[in-house]
Amino acid sequence: QAQKGPVEAPNVDLRSMAMEGKVKEIIELMEKGAIADGECFYVLFDKCGNPKLLQNAKKVHDFFLRSTFRGELRLINRVLEMFAKCGSMVDARRVFDHMPDRDIDSWHLMIRGYASNSLGDEGLQLFEKMKELGLQPNSETFQAVLYACAGAEAVEEGFIYLEKMRTEHGIEPQMEHYLAVLDVLGASGHLIEAREYVEKLPMQPNVAAWESLRDYARYHGDLDLEDHLNELIADLDPSKAVADKLPTPPPKKRMAVNLMEGRNRLPEFKNPSLYKDDEKYKAALKEQGYVPDTRYVLHDIDQEAKEQALLYHSERLAIAYGLISTPPRTPLRIIKNLRICGDCHNAIKIMSRIVGRELIVRDNKRFHHFKEGKCSCGDYW
Amino acid sequence: AFKEFTRMRFSDIHPNHITFITLLSGIAHYPSQGRLFAAPLHAYVCKMGLDRPNVKVGTALVDMYSKCGFVDSARLCFDDISEKNSVSWNTMIDGYMRNGKVDHALQLFDEMPVKDAISWTALIGGFVKKGLDEEALECFFEMQLSGVESDYVTIIAVLSACANLGALSLGLWINRFVMGKYFRDNIRLCNTLLEMYSRCGRVDFAREIFEKMPSRTLVSWNTMIGGFAMNGLVEEALILFDRMQREGFKPDGVSFTGALTACSHAGLVDQGLEYFDGMQNVHNLSPRIEHYGCLVDLYSRAGRLEDALSVIKNMPMKPNEVVLGSLLAACRNCGDINLAEVVMKFLVELDPSSDSNYVMLANMYAAVGSWEGAGKVRRNMRTRGIQKRPGISSIEIEGGIHEFMAGDKSHSQTDSIYEILELLSYELENYGYIREAAVPEL
Amino acid sequence: SFATPEDIAAERRKRKRQLRMQPPISPARHQQQPQQQRSPTTNSNPNAPKIPEHVFVLTGNRLNLHNKILKIIRENDLDEAALYTRHSVYSNCRPTIFTCNAVMAALLRASRYSDFLSLHRFITQAGIASNVITYNMLITLYCECRKPDTALEHYKRLIEDAPFEPSRATYRILVKGLVDNNRVEKGIEIKDEMLSRGFDADEVVYGYLMNGCAKNKDGDKVLELFEELREKLGGEVTNGIVYGPLMKAYFLKEMEKEAMEKFEEAVAENLKVKMDDVAYNLVLDAFCRFGKFEEALQLFEKMKNLHNPPWKLTVNLGSYNVMVDGYFLEGRFKEAVEVFMSMGEKNCNPDILSFNNLIELLCNNDLLPEAEELCGRMSEKGVSPDEVTYGLLMDACFKGNRPDDAAVYFKKMIDENLRPNLPVYNKLVEGLVQVGKIDEAKSFFDLMVTKLKFNFASYEFMFKALCDVGRVDDVLKIVGDILDEGSIDLNDDMQKIVKDGLRREAREEEELDRLIEQKENEKEEAKRREIEEAERAKASAKAAVANLLPSKLFGNKEGSNENAALSGNSDTVSSNEVQASGEVQAS
């Protein structure tokens, strides 16, 4: 607080620059000796919370460590949050472990950070450690813990912690805790269980609960459940009715409800006779047909094939890179300095069908427009 | 011109600087014939004391030397010019570029006090001619940054680079850039755009430009026909060929090359022959070797080796490696190794350094399982000291060009690339693809 | 020793949790940093289990893709949905397992099993790891296809390989599938395994098992299961699903009073027992099967009154199916059809299986005209007949001595692009031959021989039928076609039939041998001609080469403008370049 005047002035600039998100510029200024104040760091930590900005985040943190504010708990907690958002829990943990004192928020931030980085188990371990240290978890702690359970897809633990919350810590679960358990189930793909869970809640489930369930139904692709929940939601809150919704096509068979156990005679009447066009199709596409064997062993590339793979011709490499760098179904243009070889020509022809794209290859002789398994050169090449 | 000059000397009229400039540029235009006169003329200029003080004469000297291939002498002259103007600088840069001394050109360029559009263009054009397309583009970006307004010559050079690289997105950008400028209707520029789009595989864009062109030259038509033919739009190419004649353009040799290429692309043998006949009989054009090449190609692709051979036999000039190369490729497609061996013998004589023909022959042996034959070819290659040129494929992603060589593992996303290739090769087999015998990249 | 079952459960959970947490589940999970979305798979065994992606990854572009595909699914363009998913694998936006699951769920919903499996194979190969939902769907699929063993194998794979636990839903699906496929014993085993893996006793699983035992008329086992469940739940069973099977057990043991007591308990006003549509249906089923049809009718009315969607669902398709069965048991066929056709509300629409069931019942009761009428009315409910529908009708037509109509149904099936299998075709031809309609049989033979892959028996039957009426020439023609096509060998039995036929017509047996020989000759001839053709081409090329004298090649020909030729097609390029370079000088 001794420093006033000259140092304060650039700080104002830094702060407003920070607000505008000019992280890089600020780092440059700080490298030249500018000094940021606490408020500025606070904003900077917030702006650096992005996996793409991890390097900047580290730099900002370095400056922070050299600053006079390095002991401020409020700011250190922001650092934890920043590294968690950057996806680097290793950095967050290092900061956390070196904290002279932590408040309950620090623990929450760490547990949540682990959870959102798919490291829920570490989050749970940290919670155990917190209890070992004799810290008293509060209602919010359990929300974080349940969030970690969702991140770890740890269904059992979710219920255990919900139980312990009441029995060991005397905290009565609130709606947000129940919703958090719902998240655990939903994130783990236990949709039916989640639905039963909501129906059995000790309190009337609110719209938020149904909506959360509906979202999980959507994520997991359960059309019928989604439709049903949408009806419920619309009934509770007509403003949330989905307008201009497409009518859902009816299922062919309602196996779950029709009580026609074992009376499906389809195999008797339909298959597995071979149709000749099926055969042709299968010859062209050696895929499993109706009810194949369980264990198709996946294609493991053997040594010889691996050596072959080393010989992938350049056009295939370019195509592969093009594929993973562009949206589906957009055409790719490859330019090759030599003439395309017959094997690649044949392969790329089929590839164009498999990947559903137009592949245009210009070799030193001519253009080949590969599309839907055909080439513009008509194989006269 | 020299005769006149000699007469002038004899008649005791002292030549002035204009005379020399004319003479020097005369030599520069015909370097092969003028080479001998270069030094004596220079000496004469020196004697007259015109070289140093007169910048125009000096520049003309530089131009002459560089065009005659004496780039070091050119530099000496350049250094001797006491008051250089931008034209002298540009000429010198162009001289270096012309003679493949890229480093010198760049160095000189950096030393140059004021760079104008022509200096940049000299550099860019030089790069393009040397096949250094990426450098050309880089140079163009720098030029943009430096704020120098580019002229249409620059744009043409840059577009050629785009076409070579297949840098479509840059090409598109330049197209928009050009449309905003006054030289929108420049026919040459439009022609280059046509060229660029066809060579980037966007023949549809090329067609759009072609249709919108206020007036067209023979080159426009030829480019468009060639573009269609190259891209396998055979029908469009031939329709355009007819339309061109209806609109009063007389097709030249290049037009016929386009039409014939189109025919061979689609295997339209009879139609191709018709064009070939028409070329001689109706249009009175005597076919050049590339037309015979097309004809051989036409037969070869259709698997009619015999006819291809008789064309070679009956054509009035001796076949070159392009023609024989087509035949060799046809042998490959028909699996006729015996003929291939014979053709190869001639090819080796004609073009001993070409790697692709060796590789093709080796692959043919490999395809029929004759590893011995393949080995023989390879040994042959080795003893002749022929290295296989590496196959390079490139793709443009978000404006950046990514290049790959066979078995390349240097890309930052190599793992993902191989992962997707493994999946693809597995799926390919599901779709009935059978890998041919392992062959190195052509 | 523990005081209460809750203690046991708590202890078990604790152990399990420790197992899970120390050491942390699997190192693979730690690798999954958000920065590296695709972990390198080099040198890794593709069959090794992979950790499926977490629902958190469903953000940004991948979420957009998910929503886009969901929309396509709603538009019922499942081919496109599956194709787009595949194509997205080859792009900068890989589909998540959630998107793949959504497509597979839609395929399963539409009974498109082979498309489901094909997509599943593809995503597995592409390294998109399955999650519990994927496994659940696979198990559902195999159970629906009546391949319980395959379903069990997938369950085993889930237990052994998958980096996650099965869910309660997994067990429900598997146990229901086993029960439906008459594998109650195995179902009970799986139930025990479920308990041993730390799951609570699940009322639904027990309900399925009890119902299966009741179907097998094993009342004691039902009661045993119920007692076990009650004990595990601490004395109280609140899910109504067990009541129907329980009542059946009492009925089986002729303890009607107890059965009715249970019924009262289930529908008691205090709502202690949770009754949903499935639970009601099982009670309804109990009434129907044990001659309490009046009670069933009453309950059915009550269920319809209670039905109040979307909150309270008490009636579904199953209720109607049960009622149909009930009416049939009572011999009230017309009413069955009426009740069935009266359903129509959403969530309560007939499916193809229910229609087929009803048609089968009608046919079995010699009500073919009614069955045919029903078949005609299927489209009213938005359902179209499938192979089973027509197959049932065909069977009934033959039984009712109407072979021509059977043929019409078969024809219809072909016209509607349905795919009857070989047994159905055999039945048709045999039926037609039996009533002497050889011409018709032959015409169906001709129709199907191009489509179906016949076996020996199908050919033999046709040969015999034709020989019997002396149409040996037709037989010989077929033999010729078989030989030409070569998809099946002419075996000894077939040859014998033909020879017998020839003999009966007082023709030479050798005719067949001659035919075979002739066909072989033709084939050889064709092959020889092909080779000759190739040889000739080669020879003429050689001759041409010989003519192509080296002297001529390298002689002093005119026009050595080779540079021009070298540039060949690229004339225009060079001309432009020339222009460009010219400009440098000019300017």
Side-chain angles (χ1 to χ4, degrees):
Chain A
Q1 53 270 56
Q3 297 178 331
K4 290 227 164 165
V7 189
E8 195 75 358
N11 255 331
V12 179
D13 286 344
L14 282 186
R15 213 185 292 170
S16 59
M17 275 171 79
M19 297 293 241
E20 289 165 36
K22 293 180 176 169
V23 180
K24 234 185 187 164
E25 290 85 338
I26 296 177
I27 291 174
E28 272 169 26
L29 282 175
M30 286 200 288
E31 273 164 358
K32 285 176 191 151
I35 294 167
D37 64 1
E39 208 45 50
C40 181
F41 274 118
Y42 191 94
V43 179
L44 274 176
F45 293 150
D46 186 50
K47 298 284 179 197
C48 289
N50 179 331
K52 282 183 198 145
L53 298 177
L54 178 61
Q55 288 316 314
N56 289 338
K58 284 183 174 173
K59 279 186 191 153
V60 171
H61 182 233
D62 284 344
F63 285 115
F64 173 67
L65 287 180
R66 277 180 254 154
S67 77
T68 49
F69 314 101
R70 62 175 175 273
E72 264 188 48
L73 185 58
R74 181 185 70 116
L75 290 175
I76 303 176
N77 280 346
R78 274 326 104 205
V79 173
L80 296 180
E81 195 182 9
M82 168 179 76
F83 281 130
K85 280 190 190 160
C86 288
S88 176
M89 285 314 288
V90 178
D91 286 300
R93 185 60 182 256
R94 196 179 301 127
V95 174
F96 181 79
D97 285 345
H98 286 93
M99 282 171 82
D101 34 39
R102 314 175 179 110
D103 63 4
I104 193 93
D105 262 352
S106 326
W107 291 92
H108 293 169
L109 284 165
M110 281 304 287
I111 296 172
R112 282 184 178 276
Y114 275 124
S116 55
N117 285 293
S118 304
L119 297 165
D121 289 313
E122 273 78 352
L124 294 180
Q125 272 177 327
L126 201 65
F127 174 65
E128 294 295 326
K129 194 175 162 193
M130 173 182 171
K131 283 203 298 188
E132 275 167 34
L133 292 173
L135 285 159
Q136 189 59 33
N138 62 18
S139 159
E140 212 178 305
T141 318
F142 278 101
Q143 277 186 52
V145 168
L146 288 171
Y147 183 59
C149 289
E153 298 185 14
V155 180
E156 294 83 1
E157 285 90 331
F159 284 101
I160 290 168
Y161 285 119
L162 187 72
E163 184 69 18
K164 278 194 180 169
M165 184 176 156
R166 187 172 21 221
T167 52
E168 286 181 19
H169 303 279
I171 303 166
E172 201 52 42
Q174 299 299 307
M175 197 60 196
E176 49 267 26
H177 296 108
Y178 290 120
L179 284 178
V181 175
L182 178 62
D183 282 332
V184 178
L185 288 167
S188 314
H190 294 208
L191 267 187
I192 294 170
E193 294 85 341
R195 182 187 177 175
E196 281 179 7
Y197 181 76
V198 174
E199 283 168 354
K200 279 189 192 153
L201 280 181
M203 53 190 77
Q204 191 70 28
N206 56 13
V207 180
W210 293 117
E211 280 181 327
S212 167
L213 188 57
R214 190 262 326 265
D215 291 343
Y216 282 113
R218 239 184 112 72
Y219 288 158
H220 294 297
D222 190 333
L223 276 188
D224 297 307
L225 182 58
E226 188 194 337
D227 284 351
H228 178 67
L229 292 168
N230 270 330
E231 278 172 41
L232 293 188
I233 292 163
D235 198 57
L236 283 173
D237 182 352
S239 71
K240 296 207 163 144
V242 186
D244 63 339
K245 189 184 105 37
L246 283 163
T248 313
K252 187 128 189 265
K253 279 186 260 171
R254 298 171 191 271
M255 289 301 270
V257 297
N258 63 15
L259 255 80
M260 298 270 98
E261 293 91 4
R263 273 192 258 171
N264 180 10
R265 294 185 60 183
L266 194 67
E268 236 172 281
F269 286 100
K270 189 176 174 190
N271 277 293
S273 285
L274 265 185
Y275 269 74
K276 285 185 176 161
D277 51 348
D278 261 352
E279 274 203 321
K280 243 182 261 161
Y281 173 76
K282 269 188 199 142
L285 181 79
K286 284 189 276 165
E287 289 211 359
Q288 277 92 348
Y290 177 79
V291 198
D293 251 348
T294 16
R295 282 181 180 240
Y296 35 78
V297 173
L298 290 176
H299 179 67
D300 191 0
I301 293 213
D302 54 24
Q303 201 46 44
E304 190 200 353
K306 279 229 163 81
E307 279 159 21
Q308 274 292 325
L310 293 178
L311 293 173
Y312 276 135
H313 286 182
S314 60
E315 51 268 50
R316 297 205 202 187
L317 292 168
I319 289 173
Y321 178 65
L323 290 173
I324 59 167
S325 313
T326 53
R329 294 189 176 170
T330 48
L332 294 180
R333 292 186 177 73
I334 315 294
I335 289 180
K336 173 158 198 196
N337 63 338
L338 306 175
R339 186 164 153 155
I340 187 169
C341 82
D343 187 44
C344 283
H345 190 271
N346 192 15
I348 296 171
K349 230 169 36 175
I350 308 173
M351 261 184 219
S352 68
R353 194 166 85 202
I354 297 176
V355 305
R357 296 187 189 225
E358 189 178 359
L359 303 172
I360 301 163
V361 181
R362 182 183 102 189
D363 67 5
N364 67 338
K365 294 275 174 198
R366 66 189 58 233
F367 269 93
H368 301 270
H369 290 246
F370 299 94
K371 202 175 178 185
E372 285 159 21
K374 292 199 185 75
C375 179
S376 64
C377 76
D379 294 348
Y380 284 107
W381 108 109
Chain B
F2 279 102
K3 271 183 201 150
E4 282 300 313
F5 178 67
T6 322
R7 256 182 45 207
M8 200 167 147
R9 286 278 315 279
F10 285 130
S11 55
D12 244 14
I13 302 168
H14 281 289
N16 65 4
H17 62 275
I18 312 252
T19 334
F20 281 114
I21 291 170
T22 323
L23 261 175
L24 289 170
S25 63
I27 293 175
H29 271 101
Y30 300 99
S32 51
Q33 293 155 39
R35 197 164 283 165
L36 287 173
F37 297 100
L41 196 64
H42 184 194
Y44 194 73
V45 171
C46 287
K47 207 168 87 186
M48 300 287 293
L50 282 170
D51 54 340
R52 280 160 206 255
N54 191 314
V55 60
K56 282 189 185 158
V57 176
T59 306
L61 271 169
V62 172
D63 190 34
M64 174 196 75
Y65 274 125
S66 53
K67 280 189 181 150
C68 291
F70 306 127
V71 70
D72 293 330
S73 316
R75 180 61 195 247
L76 284 174
C77 294
F78 174 76
D79 289 339
D80 281 347
I81 301 172
S82 48
E83 275 176 61
K84 302 172 183 93
N85 63 11
S86 64
V87 180
S88 355
W89 283 92
N90 294 339
T91 312
M92 193 59 229
I93 292 171
D94 186 54
Y96 274 130
M97 275 308 200
R98 203 173 278 273
N99 290 283
K101 307 221 162 169
V102 176
D103 293 341
H104 288 87
L106 274 174
Q107 202 185 343
L108 197 68
F109 181 80
D110 288 339
E111 285 166 19
M112 195 172 170
V114 185
K115 295 153 183 123
D116 59 12
I118 298 162
S119 343
W120 286 100
T121 309
L123 216 52
I124 294 171
F127 279 133
V128 173
K129 253 173 273 171
K130 284 274 161 293
L132 300 167
D133 299 300
E134 278 164 74
E135 283 80 354
L137 293 188
E138 234 164 78
C139 190
F140 177 67
F141 292 136
E142 261 176 63
M143 177 180 180
Q144 291 295 303
L145 283 176
S146 74
V148 175
E149 190 88 350
S150 46
D151 61 13
Y152 77 97
V153 188
T154 329
I155 300 289
I156 284 174
V158 173
L159 280 176
S160 302
C162 290
N164 292 338
L165 286 173
L168 179 65
S169 59
L170 181 64
L172 279 166
W173 179 82
I174 288 174
N175 189 358
R176 276 195 296 276
F177 177 76
V178 167
M179 285 308 150
K181 303 246 168 196
Y182 57 92
F183 34 71
R184 174 191 309 200
D185 290 337
N186 185 313
I187 292 181
R188 270 191 215 159
L189 212 139
C190 285
N191 290 345
T192 321
L193 274 174
L194 290 184
E195 175 84 26
M196 186 273 295
Y197 279 130
S198 337
R199 300 235 292 142
C200 287
R202 288 310 298 258
V203 72
D204 48 334
F205 286 176
R207 183 207 304 251
E208 210 173 293
I209 294 204
F210 180 79
E211 295 301 340
K212 279 189 190 151
M213 278 169 81
S215 60
R216 305 180 187 101
T217 60
L218 190 60
V219 177
S220 329
W221 288 96
N222 289 348
T223 311
M224 201 59 227
I225 293 170
F228 279 135
M230 248 198 301
N231 283 282
L233 295 166
V234 175
E235 217 170 291
E236 282 84 344
L238 297 182
I239 289 172
L240 205 67
F241 185 74
D242 288 344
R243 197 178 120 195
M244 158 184 189
Q245 294 171 60
R246 275 204 313 279
E247 294 192 15
F249 285 90
K250 203 171 146 30
D252 65 356
V254 182
S255 327
F256 275 103
T257 310
L260 286 172
T261 311
C263 291
S264 79
H265 210 136
L268 304 170
V269 179
D270 294 337
Q271 208 166 341
L273 288 177
E274 240 170 72
Y275 281 119
F276 191 76
D277 286 343
M279 178 175 169
Q280 288 166 293
N281 303 335
V282 182
H283 295 275
N284 222 0
L285 289 166
S286 59
R288 286 185 300 184
I289 189 148
E290 65 261 31
H291 299 114
Y292 285 106
C294 284
L295 214 54
V296 171
D297 202 38
L298 189 64
Y299 280 128
S300 302
R301 273 172 215 285
R304 291 165 63 173
L305 297 187
E306 222 173 309
D307 295 310
L309 271 172
S310 83
V311 170
I312 295 183
K313 215 164 63 180
N314 296 326
M315 62 197 219
M317 62 283 278
K318 64 180 188 183
N320 62 10
E321 62 279 10
V322 177
V323 176
L324 288 177
S326 302
L327 190 58
L328 187 62
C331 294
R332 183 202 134 86
N333 287 352
C334 300
D336 190 338
I337 293 210
N338 295 336
L339 181 55
E341 281 169 348
V342 178
V343 173
M344 193 61 198
K345 256 182 221 141
F346 297 132
L347 265 173
V348 171
E349 303 287 334
L350 269 174
D351 185 11
S353 62
S354 159
D355 58 333
S356 63
N357 294 325
Y358 284 102
V359 176
M360 197 174 325
L361 191 63
N363 289 344
M364 279 176 67
Y365 281 120
V368 295
S370 165
W371 302 108
E372 195 190 330
K376 206 171 70 192
V377 176
R378 279 181 203 289
R379 273 194 303 280
N380 202 345
M381 267 177 93
R382 219 171 302 136
T383 50
R384 282 169 191 268
I386 297 165
Q387 291 253 314
K388 199 181 78 64
R389 251 188 312 164
I392 297 172
S393 296
S394 62
I395 183 164
E396 186 195 51
I397 301 289
E398 283 166 9
I401 306 274
H402 299 255
E403 283 193 344
F404 295 88
M405 299 214 300
D408 204 335
K409 296 233 168 181
S410 59
H411 197 272
S412 63
Q413 296 196 44
T414 292
D415 287 337
S416 307
I417 290 172
Y418 278 83
E419 202 179 307
I420 216 85
L421 276 175
E422 279 179 24
L423 175 64
L424 265 175
S425 59
Y426 178 69
E427 287 298 302
L428 277 171
E429 280 169 30
N430 270 334
Y431 280 74
Y433 158 82
I434 301 152
R435 195 207 303 271
E436 279 180 27
V439 290
E441 200 163 0
L442 270 185
Chain C
S1 59
F2 299 99
T4 63
E6 276 86 351
D7 283 345
I8 306 170
E11 174 62 22
R12 194 185 53 220
R13 283 171 185 152
K14 209 172 121 198
R15 260 185 288 129
K16 192 166 169 195
R17 199 190 69 227
Q18 279 169 345
L19 208 77
R20 261 207 177 185
M21 281 165 43
Q22 302 157 353
I25 296 178
S26 99
R29 197 174 265 176
H30 298 257
Q31 288 172 5
Q32 287 208 331
Q33 297 280 324
Q35 297 98 310
Q36 41 175 108
Q37 278 200 350
R38 296 149 182 270
S39 56
T41 55
T42 6
N43 296 329
S44 69
N45 175 4
N47 295 303
K50 290 193 182 71
I51 302 264
E53 285 182 300
H54 192 272
V55 81
F56 288 167
V57 302
L58 209 49
T59 55
N61 279 340
R62 304 180 89 191
L63 181 59
N64 293 343
L65 174 69
H66 186 71
N67 288 332
K68 178 174 184 164
I69 296 215
L70 285 185
K71 189 165 168 284
I72 301 174
I73 291 173
R74 291 237 179 239
E75 286 161 358
N76 209 13
D77 192 351
L78 300 189
D79 289 322
E80 167 66 5
L83 204 59
Y84 203 92
T85 307
R86 278 171 181 255
H87 290 168
S88 298
V89 168
Y90 304 105
S91 80
N92 61 357
C93 180
R94 270 164 83 86
T96 55
I97 182 63
F98 310 102
T99 308
C100 301
N101 279 346
V103 179
M104 287 191 282
L107 290 169
L108 184 60
R109 219 170 150 266
S111 301
R112 292 178 52 175
Y113 304 127
S114 55
D115 293 324
F116 177 108
L117 291 171
S118 157
L119 182 60
H120 180 249
R121 185 207 55 74
F122 174 75
I123 62 156
T124 316
Q125 186 67 48
I128 300 173
S130 297
N131 64 16
V132 71
I133 298 216
T134 325
Y135 274 98
N136 288 350
M137 288 194 291
L138 267 173
I139 294 171
T140 311
L141 179 144
Y142 284 111
C143 288
E144 278 186 26
C145 294
R146 303 175 73 177
K147 301 248 173 186
D149 289 317
T150 316
L152 279 167
E153 241 182 275
H154 274 285
Y155 164 72
K156 216 173 95 200
R157 247 180 99 185
L158 162 59
I159 297 291
E160 284 171 3
D161 297 346
F164 46 81
E165 287 283 293
S167 67
R168 240 184 314 150
T170 315
Y171 285 103
R172 288 187 187 175
I173 291 164
L174 186 57
V175 169
K176 181 172 189 294
L178 288 169
V179 170
D180 287 355
N181 285 287
N182 295 321
R183 301 279 298 275
V184 181
E185 284 306 314
K186 187 72 199 169
I188 291 174
E189 253 176 60
I190 293 290
K191 180 258 312 173
D192 290 336
E193 191 175 325
M194 176 182 180
L195 294 172
S196 75
R197 295 189 74 84
F199 281 89
D200 289 337
D202 187 65
E203 287 151 310
V204 179
V205 167
Y206 275 87
Y208 291 146
L209 286 172
M210 285 161 67
N211 201 40
C213 291
K215 213 166 101 189
N216 292 346
K217 312 247 186 294
D218 190 349
D220 290 329
K221 187 75 194 166
V222 177
L223 294 179
E224 193 188 305
L225 281 165
F226 179 70
E227 281 312 314
E228 185 187 318
L229 173 68
R230 191 156 69 175
E231 195 192 318
K232 292 207 185 296
L233 293 183
E236 206 160 353
V237 181
T238 53
N239 193 321
I241 195 164
V242 296
Y243 279 85
L246 206 52
M247 286 165 63
K248 286 183 196 169
Y250 284 122
F251 281 130
L252 278 168
K253 293 170 76 71
E254 297 183 354
M255 295 159 74
E256 205 181 312
K257 196 171 134 272
E258 283 81 353
M260 291 313 284
E261 268 172 31
K262 283 289 162 196
F263 174 63
E264 293 304 328
E265 200 181 314
V267 296
E269 293 295 321
N270 61 12
L271 294 176
K272 216 174 77 186
V273 176
K274 232 187 116 275
M275 294 291 285
D276 62 3
D277 42 4
V278 180
Y280 273 118
N281 290 347
L282 289 171
V283 175
L284 205 59
D285 195 36
F287 280 141
C288 287
R289 278 174 200 275
F290 293 93
K292 300 266 175 207
F293 194 61
E294 278 313 308
E295 282 84 347
L297 277 179
Q298 268 175 30
L299 178 62
F300 186 52
E301 280 310 309
K302 187 177 168 188
M303 282 159 65
K304 282 200 276 191
N305 287 335
L306 284 173
H307 190 60
N308 181 25
W311 295 99
K312 185 115 184 95
L313 303 178
T314 49
V315 198
N316 64 21
L317 170 62
S319 327
Y320 286 88
N321 286 337
V322 170
M323 288 311 290
V324 164
D325 286 355
Y327 275 115
F328 266 88
L329 283 172
E330 294 288 305
R332 293 155 72 172
F333 309 127
K334 291 245 160 71
E335 282 164 273
V337 177
E338 257 168 50
V339 167
F340 185 81
M341 291 307 280
S342 74
M343 102 177 99
E345 182 239 321
K346 195 184 169 307
N347 293 330
C348 195
N349 252 322
D351 61 3
I352 184 69
L353 223 53
S354 311
F355 264 112
N356 288 344
N357 177 55
L358 185 49
I359 287 174
E360 191 179 358
L361 287 171
L362 288 167
C363 292
N364 290 347
N365 287 285
D366 298 324
L367 294 165
L368 182 52
E370 283 79 0
E372 288 177 314
E373 196 204 326
L374 188 66
C375 175
R377 289 178 65 190
M378 280 168 85
S379 59
E380 276 175 38
K381 302 283 180 196
V383 180
S384 40
D386 66 359
E387 288 87 347
V388 183
T389 323
Y390 287 123
L392 289 167
L393 289 172
M394 276 174 64
D395 284 353
C397 284
F398 276 120
K399 215 167 80 185
N401 210 8
R402 289 165 46 188
D404 290 332
D405 292 329
V408 170
Y409 282 122
F410 190 86
K411 190 88 199 352
K412 224 171 174 179
M413 227 183 310
I414 301 299
D415 291 344
E416 285 171 20
N417 277 329
L418 293 173
R419 304 198 143 198
N421 61 6
L422 199 53
V424 175
Y425 157 81
N426 286 342
K427 243 187 270 176
L428 171 74
V429 174
E430 281 165 30
L432 289 172
V433 170
Q434 240 165 38
V435 293
K437 292 185 177 290
I438 306 288
D439 284 330
E440 281 86 343
K442 175 73 168 49
S443 77
F444 280 105
F445 173 86
D446 292 341
L447 178 69
M448 294 312 286
V449 77
T450 55
K451 294 183 175 173
L452 262 172
K453 199 168 152 56
F454 283 175
N455 57 15
F456 292 117
S458 325
Y459 279 112
E460 281 167 24
F461 183 82
M462 202 64 225
F463 283 5
K464 263 188 208 142
L466 289 170
C467 287
D468 284 347
V469 292
R471 291 166 60 174
V472 192
D473 286 322
D474 282 337
V475 175
L476 286 176
K477 193 178 168 303
I478 298 172
V479 170
D481 291 343
I482 293 175
L483 290 170
D484 279 343
E485 202 190 347
S487 69
I488 195 167
D489 288 333
L490 200 64
N491 68 4
D492 294 343
D493 286 344
M494 284 158 86
Q495 295 199 18
K496 190 172 167 297
I497 295 166
V498 182
K499 284 183 181 172
D500 287 348
L502 284 166
R503 203 163 344 109
R504 251 185 291 163
E505 291 299 302
R507 285 163 66 168
E508 286 174 47
E509 279 179 34
E510 282 70 35
E511 257 187 76
L512 176 67
D513 297 331
R514 276 203 298 276
L515 178 66
I516 296 173
E517 205 176 313
Q518 180 205 332
K519 287 286 172 192
E520 264 165 23
N521 284 344
E522 272 174 25
K523 252 182 220 166
E524 252 160 50
E525 175 73 11
K527 211 186 271 170
R528 203 166 46 79
R529 224 176 298 145
E530 214 168 88
I531 294 169
E532 252 174 37
E533 196 72 28
E535 289 286 326
R536 209 176 37 234
K538 235 183 227 171
S540 66
K542 253 184 224 158
V545 174
N547 286 335
L548 185 72
L549 291 168
S551 63
K552 194 150 194 206
L553 262 174
F554 296 102
N556 299 325
K557 279 195 178 178
E558 295 281 313
S560 56
N561 193 0
E562 278 166 30
N563 289 337
L566 251 180
S567 52
N569 302 351
S570 55
D571 258 10
T572 47
V573 185
S574 38
S575 66
N576 277 346
E577 277 172 10
V578 170
Q579 284 166 15
S581 63
E583 293 309 328
V584 177
Q585 286 314 341
S587 52

